Amino acid sequence: KLNQSMKLSLAKTVLIATLSLHLAPSIADQTPKQQHVTTMSEHAIARTIRAQLNAFKARRFDLAYIHASESIQSRFPDKHSFRRMIENGYEVLLDPISIRFDGLDSRFQSAVYRIKLISHDGQHWLALYPMIVTKQGTWKINGCRLLQLTGKLI
């Protein structure tokens, strides 16, 4: 039989181990060469991209614009120029019939999120979203690279 102090010590050990396992994925490690993105960060990135896509669908370019990084906003200094850029080169983002969030692409040293889209004309697209985190800790979209996919998606 375990005495009371041994039970308490064992309970503390189990609690510490459980908390360590639970909290470990939420700890970010930033180095100059590579930024490790945590599970919590990945969810925040997906929420940011989803919010921008929802704003595009609603034709709320003012809301979509706030999710763009400072770098993007400096190239498109107002929501009107931002809207023109989206409508003239990224129209698939405006109202795709299918969106699949595929997570972070591990081939890159920085946070790049992958999304697969199907446009109304049936074309399949891969959208690569480079992301940056602000000093305030929020994620911003730092561009979007669209690649048209050919063949069947499995």
Side-chain angles (χ1 to χ4, degrees), residues 53 92-93 96-100 115-119 122-127 129 144 146 149 153:
L53 290 172
V92 69
L93 300 178
I97 60 172
S98 174
I99 302 170
R100 186 171 86 197
I115 295 180
K116 292 198 177 126
L117 306 138
I118 301 176
S119 59
Q123 296 295 316
H124 294 253
W125 297 85
L126 173 64
Y129 281 88
C144 179
L146 283 174
L149 302 175
L153 292 180

Side-chain angles (χ1 to χ4, degrees), residues 37-124:
V37 179
T38 66
T39 301
M40 285 177 54
S41 296
E42 189 168 347
H43 292 302
I45 288 169
R47 279 193 306 274
T48 299
I49 296 169
R50 185 176 287 111
Q52 190 180 65
L53 290 172
N54 287 339
F56 286 151
K57 185 175 184 164
R59 298 300 194 263
R60 293 291 312 271
F61 291 91
D62 55 329
L63 293 178
Y65 188 70
I66 64 171
H67 297 291
S69 68
E70 286 183 17
S71 173
I72 298 297
Q73 289 183 6
S74 70
R75 284 187 264 167
F76 304 95
D78 58 54
K79 66 181 180 182
H80 303 293
S81 59
F82 181 72
R83 178 183 187 153
R84 282 191 300 279
M85 179 265 299
I86 296 297
E87 290 176 337
N88 293 319
Y90 297 87
E91 56 277 349
V92 69
L93 300 178
L94 294 175
D95 189 21
I97 60 172
S98 174
I99 302 170
R100 186 171 86 197
F101 287 76
D102 278 351
L104 291 167
D105 193 321
S106 61
R107 295 174 298 169
F108 300 95
Q109 288 188 339
S110 60
V112 176
Y113 202 93
R114 297 169 52 96
I115 295 180
K116 292 198 177 126
L117 306 138
I118 301 176
S119 59
H120 282 275
D121 62 1
Q123 296 295 316
H124 294 253

Side-chain angles (χ1 to χ4, degrees), residues 10-21:
L10 181 60
K12 285 181 183 178
T13 303
V14 170
L15 177 63
I16 290 169
T18 303
L19 285 174
S20 297
L21 289 173

